[in-house]
């Protein structure tokens, strides 16, 4: 593959800068600077003195816009193409690969085929998409080669780059795959795979990177590109001899890379010798070499170049003359020969000989015959090309000629062979075209191509029917003249017949489709055989459609439709179904020996009878068929049962309005009666029929018993039905129900009442409903109340827990205690006050719950007693990397080893005053007594069981080693300078640079270049593109300065804000302070949602306010009213939960505990830290963190200055 790439000095410098190590330490980069975190806005268009101000962070990043979409053209020579089947161009595997590349990269690809069968690919899209597409094209459409390059092992990481970015860039740039050995592999060989050109580029780039990092001497010599062939010599012989003689490594850029720089690396004496030899060769050629320019047709350039440039190397080897060919994308036909004057004549002869060694000829052949000339899978053409491999044969679609290219004699022989083939084909082949409506094309083809394949085989012709996307009505027939005419006649007859066809849709219920089709399609085959000219299409079962389509001649379609409707009518008549309940023990008697009884009933009644499976609990026998036949079969089956047992059937009259209540939820009531009465069958009429008769069938004694129970239950439902309600806490419900429903089942069995507990969807979770007779309900209610009372009769027990373990239970807002309460039926655990040395812990709740919770707490305490604390010393600068993104790494270690890990506070880098844990300031920083002792800021504390702590320490040390290995030797070749920028309040123009003498000049030049860039960018600010707004609070005026149209727009925007502020009102409402936290939500999420939804401002009272329930709502009148209604609704909803949880929360949080004491134990927080802040570089005072005016608390009223802008909106 070839492409044009331009390497400018700027891009080379950028490339070199990517090889240098970073200039700042990992720890310093982690902290943002003050200007990065808080970039200043431009305030002035120009200074009074007319001097230009330095552009700030908002304007310094402006860059000229560039086109986002680029286009590049790549060329794949014939010998490097992976898919060379010229008959498959535009289709087949090559087309699929191109479509896949477009989907994968987002770039657009266009392919074209050159006369030399080379593949030209134009790629358009964004730069990264084009580069990715290029890499995919090279790897998937071009044959691959591989090479290895050896560079020192320590240079491999520079080839990889930071996070592998350099390696990815190199692979995209060269369209190759580069494999670098792993760090534990001792090999220094880097493997490169890709095209020959890409291999050369990648090898050159890798060697260049290695040369940059090599500690040995590196020399760069700029030699004109035209003299590079004389330095390398033919087939790189001369440069190889130089390297062997001098021992230096000489890297000459390949012809495809537009660079003049030759890099020589090695020992100083070796490099000097090699440079001298190269310059000597260059000077000799400049002095002695002359040039001549000749015109050679563009089409003949490739013959002069030869495969992979071998012809050029051959000429250079024979004559010592370099031949310069213009680029393929250039229209120039001038070829330049450079070398010794006495050798130019011989070289010119060679060039013309190579250019004229090939001839181009053409053969006239109708385009429709091309594929017959090529033959099936190229068989005919392969015979010719095997005999004459140097001849290239090109077929152009739509043209009536064939182009031949190759040696003159070979071309003449191939031309005569192809002309003979064309003459023979024209004499015995013919073609014709017919016009058929595209809607009939698929019918001409037939299912699976049956129709068209039959015509092709019968008449020995080929038929091309255009695809649907072409929307063409022309069908082309090619082959024997007689066969073409016969196929044409048959196709026209089929098309004419289809024009007279009719399509009809039948509505047939989908449940009958399978029966109409029959097993393995036997029944529908009979219908199709009866109506062979009619096509019957059933819908896909997944579509659940009832439409069956018939298509064919009009009369035949009507006959077929009537026939199928008759079949459906018979199926509907025979689809009546009735279920007969038969006792399970009599099923085998109904079946009979060998199925004789059931078979006889089926045959004589012409019905389908289905019995339940032997292992099924169902007793229903289903009879399907005509209604009259089903009744006969039902009576015969019931007669068999009646003969075998003393079975009785009676009818009981019960009002239909009571049927549903007697059946019960999911048949619960009626099923209980049937089970109790020996399995009798009770049949209720269908709902809504209005029939009062209920049928009971079974043994005589059991039927009578079931009748009495059913009538008694109906009487209870009608007269004595009673309902009672009682309440119990939701956490008691599972104890009332019991394990597996054992407790509640005892109550139901003993009383006969029905007890209903609330579901998860019910609003009232405490309400329990009892249904039954008045007596049964009272008895069940009494038993339940006794159970609830026993649960309400809370017992209190004490246990001893060492005070050092108290914090574990109450930490994280009592999460452990909440888990215990949820698990053990709401048991409440109370710990002594914070600071108290008491070991007494109180548990309250039901006796069983208290005992279980006590046992669990003892297990936790035993686990805590076995804990130890181990220290792990790791330098503080690695702590952030060990924690990982959002603490992910340290959380993983904590979970894996079940330990607690605490990191120390960060050390104050300025050595200023530090805050002790008790909150008192201490101006002195005491040094450790032992100078060899580790710093406190480096010690990581790990708590847990000993074996788990030791495992965690090992994990931390392994992680520490991995981080150090990743960072590598980042200090190598650094330029250590310190740049001090004066504070803004000093109004100084001087910047101080300190460091090594040889680094100062480079740092100074970089700063001056940056100043020039900033001064150029600041021109935008001087053009008056911004406005200057001045406030005069005494006169309530705002002065706007700037361009007229921008000043007017600003005035209108400010006036609109003022109008909105004047319309606003404030109203106070009373909301219970206990729901404030719920309304505000986590991190203010809830209150922000309300403020955004209703466009209002909410102010909650500060702690210690006179009225803690007073909330202020500010906004437009209609929005304020809507927000107040919403807040009152939330209060009502949340208060229900607050009242319920107050008692439990009182035990879970010790009365003396406070958030302040918890904060004291946690120690001071470092907060948000930035570098180069004004208060660290100048005399400006740092902001007061305790000031309520500078840092107001959320929801706290702050006395602010009145301003013409109106009240502040947060």
């Amino acid at each position: 593959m070839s492409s044009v790439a331009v390497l400018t000095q700027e891009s080379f410098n950028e490339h070199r800068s990517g090889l240098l190590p970073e200039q700042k330490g990992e720890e310093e980069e982690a902290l943002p600077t003050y200007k990065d975190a808080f970039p200043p806005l431009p305030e002035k268009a120009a200074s009074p003195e007319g001097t230009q101000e330095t552009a700030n962070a908002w304007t310094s990043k402006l860059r000229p816009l560039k086109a986002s979409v680029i286009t590049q053209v790549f060329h794949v020579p014939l010998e490097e193409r992976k898919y060379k089947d010229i008959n498959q161009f535009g289709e087949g595997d090559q087309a699929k690969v191109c479509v896949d590349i477009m989907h994968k990269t987002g770039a657009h690809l266009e392919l074209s085929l050159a006369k030399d069968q080379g593949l030209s690919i134009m790629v358009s899209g964004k730069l990264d998409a084009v580069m990715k597409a290029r890499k995919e094209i090279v790897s998937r459409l071009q044959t691959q080669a591989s090479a290895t390059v050896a560079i020192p092992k320590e240079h491999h990481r520079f080839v990889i780059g930071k996070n592998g970015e350099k390696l990815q860039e190199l692979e995209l740039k060269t369209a190759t795959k580069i494999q670098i050995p792993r760090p534990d592999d001792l090999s220094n060989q880097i493997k490169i795979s890709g095209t020959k050109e890409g291999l050369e580029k990648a090898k050159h780039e890798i060697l260049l990177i290695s040369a940059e990092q090599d500690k040995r001497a590196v020399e760069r010599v700029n030699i004109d590109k035209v003299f590079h062939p004389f330095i390398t010599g033919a087939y790189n012989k001369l440069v190889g001899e130089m390297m062997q003689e001098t021992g230096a490594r000489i890297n000459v850029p390949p012809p495809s890379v537009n660079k003049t720089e030759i890099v020589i690396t090695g020992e100083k004496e070796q490099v000097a010798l090699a440079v001298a030899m190269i310059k000597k060769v260059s000077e000799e050629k400049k002095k002695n070499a002359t040039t001549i320019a000749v015109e050679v047709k563009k089409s003949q350039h490739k013959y002069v170049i030869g495969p992979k440039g071998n012809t050029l190397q051959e000429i250079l080897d024979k004559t010592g003359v370099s031949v310069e060919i213009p680029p393929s994308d250039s229209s120039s036909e001038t070829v330049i020969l450079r070398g010794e004057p006495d050798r130019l004549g011989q070289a010119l002869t060679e060039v013309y000989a190579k250019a004229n060694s090939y001839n181009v000829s053409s053969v006239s052949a109708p385009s429709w015959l091309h594929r017959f000339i090529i033959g099936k899978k190229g068989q005919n053409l392969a015979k010719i090309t095997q005999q004459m491999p140097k001849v290239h044969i090109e077929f152009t679609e739509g043209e009536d000629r064939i182009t031949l290219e190759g040696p003159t004699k070979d071309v003449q022989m191939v031309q005569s062979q192809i002309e003979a083939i064309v003459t023979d084909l024209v004499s015995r082949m013919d073609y014709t075209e017919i016009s058929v409506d595209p809607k009939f094309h698929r019918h001409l083809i037939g299912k699976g191509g049956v129709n068209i394949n039959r015509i092709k085989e019968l008449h020995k012709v080929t038929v091309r029917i255009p695809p649907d996307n072409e929307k063409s009505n022309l069908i082309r027939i090619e082959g024997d003249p007689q066969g073409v005419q016969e196929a044409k006649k048959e196709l026209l007859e089929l098309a004419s017949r289809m024009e007279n066809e009719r399509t009809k849709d039948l509505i047939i219920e989908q449940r009958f489709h399978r029966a109409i089709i029959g097993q393995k399609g036997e029944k529908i085959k009979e219908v199709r055989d009866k109506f062979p000219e009619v096509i019957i299409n059933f819908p896909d079962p997944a579509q659940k459609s009832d439409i069956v389509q018939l298509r064919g001649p009009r009369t035949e379609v009507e006959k077929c439709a009537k026939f199928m409707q008759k079949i459906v009518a018979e199926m509907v008549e025979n689809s009546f179904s009735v279920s007969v309940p038969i006792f399970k023990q009599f099923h085998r008697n109904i079946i009979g020996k060998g199925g004789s009884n059931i078979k006889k009933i089926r045959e004589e009644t012409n019905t389908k009878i289905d019995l339940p499976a032997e292992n099924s609990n169902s007793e229903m026998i289903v009879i399907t068929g005509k209604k009259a036949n089903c009744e006969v079969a039902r009576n015969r089956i019931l007669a068999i049962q009646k003969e075998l047992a003393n079975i009785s059937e009676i009818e009981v009259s019960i009002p239909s309005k009571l049927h549903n209540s007697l059946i019960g939820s999911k048949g619960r009531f009626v099923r209980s009666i049937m089970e109790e009465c020996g399995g009798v069958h009770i049949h209720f009429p269908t709902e809504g029929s209005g029939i009062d008769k209920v049928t009971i069938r079974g043994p005589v004694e059991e039927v009578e018993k079931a009748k009495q129970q059913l009538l008694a239950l109906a009487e209870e439902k009608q007269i004595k039905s009673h309902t009672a309600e009682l309440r119990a806490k939701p956490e008691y419900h599972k104890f009332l129900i019991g394990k597996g429903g054992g407790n509640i089942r005892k109550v139901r069995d003993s009383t006969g009442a029905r007890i209903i507990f609330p579901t998860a969807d019910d609003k009232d979770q405490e309400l329990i409903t009892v249904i039954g007779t008045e007596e049964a309900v009272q008895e069940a209610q009494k038993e339940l109340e006794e159970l609830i009372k026993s649960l309400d009769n809370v017992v209190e027990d004490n246990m001893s827990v060492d005070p050092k373990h108290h914090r574990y239970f109450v930490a994280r807002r009592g999460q452990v205690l909440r888990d215990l309460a949820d698990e053990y039926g709401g048991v409440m655990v109370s710990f002594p006050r914070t600071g108290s040395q008491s070991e007494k812990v109180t548990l309250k709740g039901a006796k069983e719950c208290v005992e279980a919770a006590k046992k669990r707490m003892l297990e936790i305490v035993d686990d805590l007693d076995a804990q130890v604390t181990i220290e792990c010393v790791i330098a503080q600068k690695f702590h952030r990397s060990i924690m990982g993104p959002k603490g992910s790494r340290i959380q993983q270690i904590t979970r894996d080893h079940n330990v607690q890990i605490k990191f120390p506070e960060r050390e104050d880098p300025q050595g200023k005053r530090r805050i002790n844990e008790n909150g008192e300031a201490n101006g002195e920083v005491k040094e450790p007594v032992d100078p060899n002792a580790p710093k406190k800021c480096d010690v990581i504390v790990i708590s847990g069981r000993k074996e788990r702590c030791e495992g965690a320490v090992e994990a931390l040390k392994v992680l520490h080693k991995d981080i150090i290995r990743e960072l590598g030797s980042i200090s190598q070749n650094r330029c250590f300078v310190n740049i001090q920028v004066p504070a803004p309040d000093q109004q100084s123009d001087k910047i101080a640079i300190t460091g090594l003498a040889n680094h100062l000049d480079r740092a100074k030049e970089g700063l001056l270049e940056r100043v020039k860039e900033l001064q150029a960018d600041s021109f935008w600010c001087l053009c008056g593109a911004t406005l200057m707004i001045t406030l005069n609070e005494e006169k309530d005026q705002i002065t706007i300065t700037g361009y007229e149209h921008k000043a007017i727009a600003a005035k209108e925007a400010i006036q609109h804000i003022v109008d909105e502020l004047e319309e606003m009102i404030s109203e106070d409402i009373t909301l219970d302070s206990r729901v404030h936290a719920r309304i505000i939500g986590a991190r203010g999420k809830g209150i922000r949602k309300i403020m955004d939804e209703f466009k209002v401002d909410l102010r909650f009272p500060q702690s210690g306010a006179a009225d803690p329930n007073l909330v202020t709502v500010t906004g437009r009148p209609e929005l304020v009213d809507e927000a107040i209604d919403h807040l009152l609704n939330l209060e009502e909803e949340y208060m229900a939960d607050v009242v319920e949880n107050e008692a439990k929360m009182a035990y879970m949080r010790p009365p003396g505990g406070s958030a302040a004491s918890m904060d004291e134990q946690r120690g001071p927080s470092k907060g948000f830290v930035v570098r180069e802040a004004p208060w660290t570089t100048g005399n400006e005072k740092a902001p007061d963190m305790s000031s309520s005016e500078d840092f107001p608390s959320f929801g706290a009223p702050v006395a602010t200055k009145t301003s013409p802008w109106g009240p502040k909106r947060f």
Side-chain angles (χ1 to χ4, degrees), residues 588-633:
R588 61 178 182 175
N589 302 98
I590 291 171
I591 296 172
K593 189 175 181 179
S596 57
N597 292 348
I598 196 70
K599 185 178 180 182
K600 184 178 180 181
I601 296 173
R602 285 170 178 166
E603 291 175 352
E604 292 179 358
T605 60
N606 194 21
T607 56
K608 180 184 176 183
I609 303 175
D610 295 323
L611 285 86
E614 190 173 351
N615 56 357
S616 170
N617 293 326
S618 174
E619 296 182 342
M620 290 294 181
I621 296 178
V622 181
I623 307 171
T624 306
K626 293 183 179 180
K627 187 175 181 180
N629 295 342
C630 289
E631 290 295 332
V632 173

Side-chain angles (χ1 to χ4, degrees), residues 39-45 53-59 1020-1021 1026-1028:
L41 288 169
E43 295 182 355
K44 299 180 181 179
E53 292 184 353
T54 302
N56 55 35
W58 295 88
T59 60
W1020 181 80
C1021 295
T1026 59
L1027 299 171
M1028 185 167 63

